[in-house]
Amino acid sequence: MSLRLKFVLALLFSSLASVAMVGGMAYMQLTSKFDSLRRQQVSMHFKSAVTDYLTKYGNWQAASAVMPFRQFMDQQGPANGQQQRPPPQEQQQRPDGPDDGPPGPPDGGPAGGQRRGGEPQFRFILLDAQYRVLLGAGEYEHNSLAPSDMQRDAIPIVINDKVEAYISPQGVLALGKQDIEYLAAMREALGYGAAAATVLAIALGLLLGNGLSAALRQLTGAVKAMRAGALRQQVAVEGGAEIVTLATAFNQMSEELAQSHEALQQSNQTILEQANKLKEMSIRDALTDLYNRRHFDEQAQQMFEQSVRHGHPMTVVMGDIDFFKRINDTYSHATGDVVLKQIAEILRTHMRISDVVARYGGEEFVIILPETPLPQAAALCDKLRQVIESFPWTNVHPELRVTMSMGLCADVAAGTVHAMLNKADTLLYRAKEQGRNRVCFG
């Protein structure tokens, strides 16, 4: 069930419950007030009739001898202008006393309204000053003493400052025609009110539910986008106070999360760059920026294993700067460092990406040429030798001359890469013995 439908049903239930509660209480209060007013009206009419009856004839005995009370009541006429119906014949004289039938009520009909079957709903018991029954309404015997609770609630009839009699209303008063019509109109009005409340609740539910569900849909979409990785999300800050507070808090949270994520990414990038720099520093020679011996040994072993596994050629080169100690002693160690850097640059710029060049120690350099047979490697090394020899070393020092000798080994069958390096080193010394500035290979 959607939030909008739940909101509409909640408003509808609340509205109908409020209408039912308020209307029901109002209806009960109204009927109770009608009953009280009608009871009071009938009682006052009956009390007035008894007062006139006793005032006219002096006392009950004398009045009864002249005119029965019911006949006197009929002569007085009904209350509120309603037509008095003649009482049933069997009620005019009761065996329990003279004229003991219930008096006609002011609003027509015997005893203030009848139940089904002709039984009166509302009667008056008439008592004398000593609480003995004068009119028992068919319930109490004439001249019997009234019960104590009746005596307590009886209404006195005072004539010339003297209590001459008491009356006691009995039964439930039936509503008159106008009262019933008024209550029917009240029920109809409550029905219209309930219908209007239903329409209003549905309209308000749809209006408020649409606004609330739209805001929540926007928030839900933003949360899903954040879950997908787009942390910086902004929703419209509009609607009720709670929605505005929620949207503002969400926007602030989204911005803070995005900033924190960006800062974390930047920090990770910095850490990654630093880690790469540290890694490069750990595998490169500080002076020449070529790979160091440890990293070269790792790469050489892997390349040798791949060459053996696939049966591909590989050449190992050992190179040494001729008379490097003399250069340091004659021109200074600073000049020697310049020479090392420049030779490293020449080697690096003339190598392929797949080749590995390293400073092996001091003035020694090593090169691995994968996928390279011996003749091709020898040609490349002789070219490197010529480039080094022809470099304008006089720019470094007017009398400086630099050459390099190299030894090559392409014998993968030697068994290990170290064995190949040893063979290349042997050939390097042979090149030096033969006059330096040359390339020797087996």
Side-chain angles (χ1 to χ4, degrees), residues 53-94:
Y53 185 64
L54 295 179
T55 300
K56 182 175 182 179
Y57 296 106
N59 55 57
W60 183 261
Q61 288 76 15
S64 299
V66 177
M67 180 182 294
F69 181 66
R70 180 169 296 279
Q71 183 179 355
F72 181 81
M73 282 284 291
D74 292 341
Q75 291 180 357
Q76 296 297 313
N80 300 331
Q82 295 182 8
Q83 184 178 359
Q84 175 77 20
R85 291 186 299 174
Q89 186 67 27
E90 66 272 16
Q91 291 184 352
Q92 292 190 15
Q93 295 292 332
R94 295 280 183 172

Side-chain angles (χ1 to χ4, degrees), residues 282-402:
S282 68
I283 64 176
R284 291 193 177 274
D285 175 64
L287 179 63
T288 63
D289 201 32
L290 295 177
Y291 290 123
N292 56 29
R293 182 168 181 170
R294 181 176 61 83
H295 182 69
F296 174 83
D297 290 339
E298 293 176 357
Q299 296 297 312
Q301 182 63 32
Q302 294 179 6
M303 291 182 175
F304 177 80
E305 293 175 357
Q306 292 178 358
S307 178
V308 172
R309 183 182 306 114
H310 300 291
H312 294 171
M314 183 182 81
T315 301
V316 175
V317 180
M318 289 285 292
D320 185 89
I321 300 175
D322 296 329
F323 302 110
F324 185 72
K325 185 177 183 304
R326 183 187 301 173
I327 293 174
N328 281 334
D329 294 341
T330 304
Y331 305 107
S332 76
H333 285 81
T335 302
D337 290 345
V338 173
V339 171
L340 289 172
K341 291 180 180 180
Q342 188 57 55
I343 289 180
E345 181 64 22
I346 293 172
L347 294 178
R348 184 167 38 244
T349 56
H350 288 79
M351 292 294 108
R352 299 169 301 183
I353 297 177
S354 59
D355 299 334
V356 178
V357 184
R359 183 184 179 189
Y360 210 57
E363 69 275 16
E364 289 186 328
F365 295 87
V366 289
I367 305 172
I368 295 181
L369 303 173
E371 305 290 336
T372 307
L374 185 58
Q376 183 178 345
L380 174 62
C381 290
D382 193 62
K383 179 180 178 182
L384 287 172
R385 182 193 62 77
Q386 294 176 18
V387 171
I388 293 172
E389 182 182 15
S390 61
F391 185 81
W393 297 107
T394 54
N395 293 337
V396 179
H397 192 279
E399 299 178 1
L400 181 63
R401 179 175 179 271
V402 179

Side-chain angles (χ1 to χ4, degrees), residues 69-272:
F69 181 66
R70 180 169 296 279
Q71 183 179 355
F72 181 81
M73 282 284 291
D74 292 341
Q75 291 180 357
Q76 296 297 313
N80 300 331
Q82 295 182 8
Q83 184 178 359
Q84 175 77 20
R85 291 186 299 174
Q89 186 67 27
E90 66 272 16
Q91 291 184 352
Q92 292 190 15
Q93 295 292 332
R94 295 280 183 172
D96 55 352
D99 196 27
D100 196 32
D107 60 344
Q114 286 183 288
R115 295 190 184 99
R116 293 178 181 177
E119 181 184 355
Q121 277 190 315
F122 196 77
R123 301 183 178 91
F124 288 96
I125 307 301
L126 183 64
L127 310 176
D128 62 12
Q130 287 74 37
Y131 297 105
R132 293 190 176 276
V133 177
L134 296 177
L135 293 177
E139 295 184 12
Y140 298 93
E141 294 183 359
H142 179 70
N143 207 32
S144 62
L145 185 64
S148 58
D149 57 341
M150 183 182 296
Q151 295 180 22
R152 183 179 62 252
D153 299 332
I155 301 173
I157 297 177
V158 181
I159 301 175
N160 297 326
D161 298 329
K162 180 182 179 182
V163 177
E164 296 290 343
Y166 294 92
I167 61 174
S168 176
Q170 300 291 314
V172 178
L173 181 65
L175 298 176
K177 180 179 180 182
Q178 289 182 348
D179 300 332
I180 294 174
E181 291 177 351
Y182 189 87
L183 291 177
M186 178 71 174
R187 289 193 297 271
E188 185 178 358
L190 289 175
Y192 285 129
T198 300
V199 174
L200 181 61
I202 293 175
L204 287 176
L206 291 175
L207 180 62
L208 297 178
N210 283 337
L212 181 60
S213 60
L216 292 180
R217 283 196 303 271
Q218 189 178 13
L219 283 172
T220 302
V223 170
K224 289 182 178 179
M226 292 179 67
R227 184 180 180 183
L231 296 182
R232 183 172 275 104
Q233 297 292 322
Q234 295 292 307
V235 298
V237 181
E238 57 186 13
E242 294 82 1
I243 297 299
V244 168
T245 301
L246 179 60
T248 303
F250 176 84
N251 290 341
Q252 183 178 359
M253 178 195 68
S254 174
E255 183 63 27
E256 291 176 354
L257 282 176
Q259 291 178 359
S260 299
H261 183 69
E262 290 171 357
L264 181 60
Q265 285 185 321
Q266 184 64 35
S267 177
N268 289 340
Q269 183 64 27
T270 301
I271 293 173
L272 182 60

